[in-house]
Amino acid sequence: QVQLVESGGGLVQPGGSLRLSCTASRSFFGLNTMGWYRQALGKQRELVAIITGGGRTNYADSVKGRFTISGDNAKNTVYLQMNSLSPDDTAVYYCNAKWWGPDYWGQGTQVTVSS
């Protein structure tokens, strides 16, 4: 019923930047949390960053100071600005959102950091 569509992934050199976007088909009104997760080859999916309906944010230790999560309520869109990227950031990045009811997931967007 709710669709989440990610975009902005791609190939970037170490030290470069990307901005991911996730647009929801549902209004952010009543949103509990929205976040970004990632899954690298051979590893479990992990939380990268979250933002609450009240605007509070939290980040994984590995991305603090480099990544910034933000939202645009008018566009029903959340962003992940990724700076100072390293090969360790290579993964499929997934958008997640939760209102009341089940969680919703996007299809993922590939981020590859390589020279």
Side-chain angles (χ1 to χ4, degrees), residues 31-43:
L31 182 71
N32 294 133
T33 62
M34 199 160 183
W36 290 94
Y37 293 71
R38 68 186 182 187
Q39 187 166 19
L41 283 174
K43 296 184 178 180

Side-chain angles (χ1 to χ4, degrees), residues 32-64:
N32 294 133
T33 62
M34 199 160 183
W36 290 94
Y37 293 71
R38 68 186 182 187
Q39 187 166 19
L41 283 174
K43 296 184 178 180
Q44 291 184 269
R45 188 172 298 187
E46 64 176 349
L47 176 67
V48 176
I50 58 171
I51 187 167
T52 71
R56 299 189 302 275
T57 59
N58 198 18
Y59 300 89
D61 288 341
S62 60
V63 307
K64 286 180 180 177

Side-chain angles (χ1 to χ4, degrees), residues 3 6 10 18 31 46-47 104 112:
Q3 301 290 321
E6 303 105 329
L18 287 173
L31 182 71
E46 64 176 349
L47 176 67
Y104 297 93
T112 302

Side-chain angles (χ1 to χ4, degrees), residues 22-91:
C22 174
T23 299
S25 63
R26 179 176 177 174
S27 170
F28 280 177
F29 182 80
L31 182 71
N32 294 133
T33 62
M34 199 160 183
W36 290 94
Y37 293 71
R38 68 186 182 187
Q39 187 166 19
L41 283 174
K43 296 184 178 180
Q44 291 184 269
R45 188 172 298 187
E46 64 176 349
L47 176 67
V48 176
I50 58 171
I51 187 167
T52 71
R56 299 189 302 275
T57 59
N58 198 18
Y59 300 89
D61 288 341
S62 60
V63 307
K64 286 180 180 177
R66 300 189 298 120
F67 291 10
T68 303
I69 188 170
S70 62
D72 186 333
N73 291 343
K75 297 182 181 294
N76 298 338
T77 298
V78 66
Y79 304 96
L80 184 69
Q81 178 66 47
M82 305 185 293
N83 299 324
S84 302
L85 287 163
S86 79
D88 290 340
D89 298 312
T90 296

